[in-house]
Structure formats: C-alpha cells, structure tokens
C-alpha cells in the first residue's frame, strides 16, 4: 500500500508539490487555510496548526508531512503539533534559515529541512552559464546540472552507440527515451543500441570550475587602474585634503619669505603645529611684523576649520560606507563576469554557486541594510549600492562586457525593469529573470526574448515532491510531465536488490545505476553493471518517481538505517 502524504500550505510552491505528487500516483492529501477552486475531495480546509485539522487529514495514518508554507514560524508550530499526534511521521520542512534546519535535522528523527532558495539557485546559475538545466544532481560534493539531449538530424551523437557514452566520467546517463519502441537505458547500453533521430537522452554533466581567479597582485593592479572611481566616492575628501596642504604650503612659504634666515624645516614645523593646534617653534613668529602675526591668527582659524572638516570627512570615509563603496567599485571586473541584481535569498545562493565555481561576480543591491552584505563582501565580491534598473549603476558594473545578468530581486516588476534596461544597453547580453508566477514566466520570456525566465517555486517543487516520496534524494528533474529522482539507498539483507547483479536489478526495476560505494572502493562504468549487490553497499541510482513504490515495499526501518548510514 502506498503511504499517505500530507502537504500543508497550498500556496504557489505547496500546490505545485501537491499536484506533482498526485500526478506521480501518490496518495496525497492537502491542507490549506481557505478553499481552492476545483479541489474539494483531496483538500482539507482549516487552521493549519490545529490538531482537529491534522486529524481530519489523517495525521495518524500518514507516512510523510510536507510543510510547504513560506512562514517558518507557522511551519514549526505545525511540526510540533504533528509530532505530538504522530511521533513517527516523516517531516519535509520548508525553511530558509539553513542553520536552523541543520539543527532540526540533527535533533529530530525523520526530519528533512529544505530551502526553496537553495534548490532554485543552481538552476539560475546554470542558466547564466548557458546550460538549460531541467534539474540538478548532487554527486561527489558537486551539483551537476541535468539536461535533455534531443537527437536531431545533425546532432554529433546521431548513430552513436550508447555504450560509448556509458564510460565517459564527465557525464552521467540518467534516462533514455527512444522515439520508437520501449527499452530501458541499461538494456540499450548492453545491447549497443544506436541513438536515432528523435531520441531523447537525459544527462547529468559534471560542472566545470574556472581556475583563472585573480591573484592578490592582479586585484591590487585593478584597484590602481580603477582610481577613477575615487572621484565618485571621495571627491569631497580629496578637495579638503588639497585645501589643507595648500594652507600649510602658503604658511610655510610666507614665513620663509618674511625672514630668509628661517630654515625650511623650522617654517614647516611651525606651520603644521599652528594649524593643528599642537604648537611648536613659536620663535618663528615672535619677532615678526604685526602683519605676519595677523596672518598667523588668520591661518590658525582657517587651519582649524580645514583640519576639522578633514577629520570629519576622513572618519566618514574610513568608518562609514564610502570607503567600502570605493573599494567595491575599484574591484569591479572589466569583463567576463556575472552581474547579480538583488541580494535576497535566491541572489546570495547564486552568488555562492558562481563564486565556488571560480567565476567573477558583481552584486547590485539597493538596500544598505541588507543582511547578506558582510558575508558577500567577505568573499571578496564587490557590491554596488544602488538601483539596478538605473543605467548608471549598470555601467558601473561594466554591463556591456559581462557574460550575463541575473535579475533576481523579490519584486517581479523590478526584475522586468532591470532586464529591459540591461537589454536596451546590451542587446546581445544573456539575461536571466526571476518571476514568481510560473504561468507567466514562459509568456514573458517569449514576448521580451529573455534567455530564461524562471520561477523559484516551480524549480523547487519537484525536489520537495521527490523527498516526500521517500529515501535520501540527491537530485531531481522533470521533463514531459515525468518526475525523475536520483537517490542513494543502502543495500541490506532484506532489500529487494540484495544478491542481484546491478544490471539485472536495473532492467527489472527500470532504474539507472550511477555508481556503488562499497566498504573499500567506488565502482563505476562497466564494472558497475556486473557487480552483485551485497549488504552494506550504497547504490546511487536514478529512476522515475512513479517507480519509487518498489522502495515503499522495503521496511521503514531499512530506509531509516539507509539514511543514517549515508549521512555519516
């Protein structure tokens, strides 16, 4: 019997998760705080955190609870009430606060925290890099983009044997969809099936990491060559500094001309002491004419005022935001960089994704109190404080020589305005746009000819659905209304795959093996297919979500042990 899954909070993300689970054949019940048109049978309406509402939804019989709302406090309240009613229920919890999520995962059994921002950000980054990903896969401590290869008439893989692609470690074959007939990928690899026009192949590609990150010397040279930015951020300080030095010079020159016997050093020492108020070597002016004494009084007043203004501007520049703004502006790359507009939850995750893969990034953010400023600047990433829809700020970011721009603020209209401004300045620049409404994303992309218009909720929902279906989910993708999941499962003596050769289990269960971790080694390629699965092995595989019912027949204690073993 398929387990009951409850999805709590049917907003844009929650309803997408609910629909995907139902589409994949799962027994799913939704809970929402108001009626949803057309959803009367499988949706319970009521207070999400009320015990009565959870009981009506079948909390006692449920296997998994998905908390899909964007209110973290409410999700935690529902979590505590649900665990009181059913202590063994598995919980998939939507949390933006990853540190809180990590703590909950460690403290609570069968608790999985997931973040929409963290799940969606890699796809935005892949899109900026020119990869039209349909999903992602977490392998070998890297996020691999999943994409679909359509074999057309001129495709380089046409008539190539699938067995030739199987051994390539730079890619993982996920699934095979032949135009004619039905055959699983493992069978097609073993029999040497050739790719024909119209076939589709789902592939995970190993991410490439740039190694041309600039050295400290190159960064210093960049700052020196970008000193033109100093005028914008420190013009007032520069002017008052010139006035201060001019005052000292005029005073020194006046005292020397008054008495040619006065050494230059004595005149300079007296001038600086007079202006700063520290005093020193007063004999320079003691025997001077009255006009020079009046001149000294005037220069004292002028110097005190100038020095006061100088200290004030210097303090503001160094301790305030001006120096940071100047330093950020001076470090902006000249070319081949990525511009992130909006440093919210999605934006900061994209920044980390691109930075970790060796790409240079520039951030434009208009909120001076943004909570991610310090963390981004600590990575050495320049931040431009201003409105990204203004052409001057885009010019400062060297828009025309950038590799791509991503408009990912939390405001859809602001993202559209930023994207249109960027396209107007650099028509050939790839522009990736965030839009909260999935139904409008494709329309906006078609009308304005942006490279990609992506919805975070649309991107993250398959991952939540896959996690709700069970096992430790490593990645997912969706194509032609079919949800694909990648997962790791520990082979125990009671596992249905135990004792079978991998290729036999794969052909019977319609999954694609990625690799096996044994106690002593990792097995890939052709050796993987011939390996017999034994207790203690960890099998990494991909399969349609509709086939996960084979794992449901594994005792729950086996799955729990599998998750614990893999996490360690």
């Amino acid at each position: 019997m398929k387990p009951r899954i409850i999805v709590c909070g049917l907003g844009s993300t929650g309803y997408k998760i609910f629909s995907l689970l139902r589409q994949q054949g799962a027994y799913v019940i939704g809970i929402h705080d108001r009626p949803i048109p057309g959803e009367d049978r499988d949706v319970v309406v009521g207070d999400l955190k009320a015990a009565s509402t959870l009981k009506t939804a079948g909390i006692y019989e449920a296997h998994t609870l998905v908390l899909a709302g964007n209110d973290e406090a409410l999700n935690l309240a529902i979590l505590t009430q649900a665990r009181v009613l059913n202590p063994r229920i598995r919980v998939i919890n939507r949390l933006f606060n990853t540190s809180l999520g990590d703590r909950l995962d460690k403290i609570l059994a069968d608790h999985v925290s997931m973040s929409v921002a963290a799940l969606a950000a890699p796809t935005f980054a892949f899109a900026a890099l020119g990869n039209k990903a349909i999903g992602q896969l977490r392998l070998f401590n890297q996020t691999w983009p999943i994409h679909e290869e359509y074999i057309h008439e001129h495709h380089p893989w046409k008539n190539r044997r699938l067995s030739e692609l199987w051994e390539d470690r730079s890619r993982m074959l996920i699934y095979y969809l032949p135009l004619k007939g039905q055959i699983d990928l493992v069978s097609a690899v073993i029999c040497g099936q050739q790719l024909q026009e119209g076939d589709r192949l789902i592939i995970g590609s190993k991410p490439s990491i740039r190694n041309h990150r600039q050295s400290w010397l190159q960064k210093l040279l960049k700052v020196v060559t970008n000193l033109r930015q100093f005028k914008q951020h420190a013009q007032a300080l520069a002017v008052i500094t010139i006035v201060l030095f001019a005052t000292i010079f005029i005073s020194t020159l006046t005292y020397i001309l008054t008495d040619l016997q006065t050494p230059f050093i004595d005149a300079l020492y007296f001038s600086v002491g007079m202006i700063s108020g520290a005093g020193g070597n007063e004999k320079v002016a003691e025997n001077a004419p009255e006009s020079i004494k009046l001149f000294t009084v005037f220069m004292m007043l002028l110097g005190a005022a100038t020095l006061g203004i100088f200290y004030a501007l210097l303090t503001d520049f160094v301790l305030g935001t001006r120096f940071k703004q100047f330093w950020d502006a001076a470090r902006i790359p000249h070319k081949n960089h990525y511009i992130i507009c909006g440093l919210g939850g999605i934006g900061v995750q994209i920044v980390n994704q691109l930075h970790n893969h060796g790409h240079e990034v520039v951030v434009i953010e208009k909120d001076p109190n943004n909570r991610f400023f310090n963390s981004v600047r600590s990575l050495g990433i320049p931040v431009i404080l201003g409105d990204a829809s203004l052409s001057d700020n885009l010019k400062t970011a060297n828009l025309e020589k950038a590799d791509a721009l991503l408009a990912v603020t939390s405001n859809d209209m602001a993202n559209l305005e930023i994207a249109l401004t960027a396209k107007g300045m650099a028509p050939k620049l790839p522009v990736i746009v965030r839009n909260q409404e999935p139904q409008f994303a494709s329309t906006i992309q078609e009308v304005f000819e942006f490279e990609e218009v992506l919805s975070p909720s649309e991107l993250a929902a398959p991952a939540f659905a896959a996690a709700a279906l069970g096992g430790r989910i490593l990645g997912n993708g969706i194509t032609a209304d079919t949800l694909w999941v990648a997962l790791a499962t520990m082979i125990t003596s009671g596992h249905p795959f135990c004792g079978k050769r991998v290729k036999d289990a794969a052909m019977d269960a319609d999954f694609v093996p990625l690799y096996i971790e044994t106690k002593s080694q990792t097995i890939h390629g052709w050796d993987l297919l011939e390996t017999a699965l034994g207790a203690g092995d960890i099998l990494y595989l991909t399969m349609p979500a509709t086939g996960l019912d084979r794992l449901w027949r594994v005792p729950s204690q086996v799955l729990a042990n599998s998750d614990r073993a893999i996490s360690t």
Side-chain angles (χ1 to χ4, degrees):
M1 176 180 173
K2 294 182 179 180
R4 179 192 293 257
I5 300 172
I6 299 175
V7 180
C8 200
L10 301 183
S12 59
T13 303
Y15 189 73
K16 179 66 176 178
I17 298 168
F18 175 79
S19 301
L20 274 174
L21 288 169
R22 189 164 55 183
Q23 187 180 38
Q24 306 308 314
Y27 181 18
V28 58
I29 298 294
I31 301 178
H32 202 44
D33 58 359
R34 56 186 179 277
I36 297 177
E39 297 287 357
D40 299 326
R41 184 168 57 89
D42 297 328
V43 176
V44 175
V45 179
D47 184 356
L48 303 184
K49 62 181 182 293
S52 58
T53 305
L54 293 171
K55 289 177 183 178
T56 303
I59 190 69
Y60 293 123
E61 300 82 20
H63 174 270
T64 301
L65 172 66
V66 181
L67 304 176
N70 58 7
D71 186 335
E72 295 188 353
L74 178 59
N75 287 346
L76 291 175
I78 300 170
L79 166 65
T80 54
Q81 184 62 260
R83 278 295 172 92
V84 168
L85 297 173
N86 184 352
R88 294 177 297 178
I89 193 167
R90 185 168 181 263
V91 178
I92 312 298
N93 195 352
R94 176 183 175 182
L95 291 172
F96 175 77
N97 189 332
T98 54
S99 60
L100 174 61
D102 290 341
R103 294 189 186 97
L104 290 173
D105 292 344
K106 291 178 181 178
I107 294 173
L108 300 177
D110 294 322
H111 180 278
V112 179
S113 60
M114 303 179 73
S115 164
V116 170
L119 292 168
T123 305
F124 277 87
F126 295 144
L129 296 171
N131 192 325
K132 295 184 179 297
I134 61 172
Q136 54 186 289
L137 179 64
R138 186 71 181 174
L139 291 176
F140 308 115
N141 296 318
Q142 290 182 308
T143 302
W144 297 40
I146 298 176
H147 64 278
E148 181 180 271
E149 285 284 349
Y150 176 77
I151 309 302
H152 51 76
E153 182 180 359
H154 303 291
H155 197 286
W157 291 355
K158 183 182 177 183
N159 297 325
R160 192 172 177 183
R161 296 182 184 276
L162 280 167
S163 55
E164 297 174 12
L165 304 175
W166 181 255
E167 277 289 346
D168 191 341
R169 299 293 178 86
S170 66
R171 63 175 69 96
M172 289 282 186
L173 302 187
I174 305 298
Y175 221 75
Y176 175 48
L177 300 167
L179 178 64
K180 299 178 181 178
Q182 289 186 343
I183 184 171
D184 63 89
L185 177 59
V186 173
S187 299
V189 169
I190 293 174
C191 72
Q193 176 100 347
Q194 290 183 326
L195 290 169
Q196 302 298 323
E197 185 177 346
D199 289 353
R200 290 183 293 166
L201 197 60
I202 311 301
I203 293 175
S205 300
K206 185 177 182 178
S208 59
I209 298 179
R210 269 190 196 175
N211 294 317
H212 71 271
R213 188 90 43 88
Q214 292 182 327
S215 66
W216 281 105
L217 179 59
Q218 289 174 315
K219 292 179 179 180
L220 181 60
L221 289 174
K222 186 198 298 183
V223 172
V224 173
T225 56
N226 276 0
L227 284 178
R228 58 185 174 83
Q229 298 290 344
F230 188 85
K231 179 180 178 181
Q232 177 182 352
H233 299 282
Q235 187 174 16
L237 178 60
V239 170
I240 201 64
T241 302
I242 293 172
V243 171
L244 179 61
F245 278 98
T247 302
I248 295 173
F249 174 76
I250 293 171
S251 298
T252 302
L253 182 62
T254 301
Y255 293 128
I256 291 175
L257 294 178
T258 302
D259 184 357
L260 297 178
Q261 301 299 320
T262 304
F264 171 78
I265 295 299
D266 288 347
L268 177 63
Y269 181 63
F270 176 70
S271 298
V272 173
M274 169 192 65
I275 291 174
S276 64
N281 204 17
E282 285 81 0
K283 66 180 183 179
V284 173
E286 282 180 356
N287 300 321
E290 291 184 359
S291 58
I292 296 300
K293 290 182 179 180
L294 291 174
F295 171 79
T296 302
V297 171
F298 174 76
M299 295 305 290
M300 283 181 177
L301 297 174
L302 176 63
T306 303
L307 195 62
I309 297 172
F310 172 78
Y311 283 146
L313 292 176
L314 181 63
T315 301
D316 177 64
F317 181 75
V318 175
L319 300 181
T321 61
R322 292 181 180 273
F323 181 74
K324 291 181 179 179
Q325 293 174 18
F326 158 67
W327 186 250
D328 284 337
R331 292 182 301 159
I332 293 173
H334 292 294
K335 60 181 180 180
N336 303 128
H337 56 286
Y338 295 86
I339 302 173
I340 313 298
C341 302
L343 195 58
I346 295 285
V348 72
Q349 294 284 353
I350 297 171
V351 168
N352 289 328
Q353 180 83 11
L354 292 172
H355 178 76
N356 290 339
H357 285 80
H359 300 281
E360 290 197 283
V361 179
V362 177
V363 174
I364 304 178
E365 168 60 45
K366 66 179 181 179
D367 181 7
N369 299 314
N370 186 284
R371 59 176 170 167
F372 298 117
F373 265 173
N374 291 333
S375 61
V376 168
R377 280 181 169 139
S378 67
L379 298 174
I381 296 172
V383 180
I384 299 173
L385 186 60
D387 188 346
S389 65
L390 299 179
S391 57
D392 287 344
N393 290 326
L394 293 176
K395 287 179 181 178
T396 301
N398 293 326
L399 175 76
E400 295 183 355
K401 294 185 179 180
D403 280 349
L405 177 139
L406 296 95
V408 290
T409 73
S410 58
N411 187 308
D412 286 350
M413 288 305 299
N415 291 335
L416 181 60
E417 184 178 3
I418 292 167
L420 290 173
T421 303
K423 276 294 186 182
M425 297 173 62
K428 295 183 179 180
L429 178 74
V431 174
I432 316 300
V433 183
R434 171 186 177 181
N435 190 277
Q436 303 283 22
E437 300 297 333
Q439 61 269 32
F440 297 132
S442 58
T443 305
I444 293 172
Q445 182 176 350
E446 181 179 354
V447 171
F448 297 107
E449 298 182 349
F450 299 135
E451 276 61 32
E452 289 283 354
V453 179
L454 303 172
S455 168
S457 60
E458 187 82 0
L459 296 173
F464 279 87
L469 291 171
R472 182 197 175 207
I473 304 301
L474 302 172
N476 62 86
I478 188 165
T479 180
D481 294 327
T482 300
L483 175 64
W484 314 93
V485 295
L487 66 151
T489 182
M490 184 175 180
I491 307 301
T492 63
S493 57
H495 199 287
F497 300 157
C498 187
K500 291 186 177 182
R501 288 189 301 175
V502 171
K503 66 178 182 181
D504 296 331
M507 289 186 286
D508 291 343
D510 192 23
F511 71 81
V512 178
L514 302 176
Y515 63 95
I516 297 174
E517 284 184 354
T518 67
K519 294 179 180 179
S520 58
Q521 60 180 328
T522 300
I523 304 174
H524 307 261
W526 289 107
D527 293 338
L528 168 65
L529 297 178
E530 299 297 332
T531 300
L533 292 167
D537 292 345
I538 298 176
L539 174 63
Y540 293 78
L541 58 91
T542 62
M543 66 190 310
T546 52
L548 284 174
D549 59 343
R550 295 178 183 273
L551 296 180
W552 292 333
R553 293 197 291 269
V554 181
S556 59
Q557 184 61 39
V558 171
L559 285 177
N561 292 339
S562 170
D563 282 348
R564 281 196 291 270
I566 294 169
S567 64
T568 56

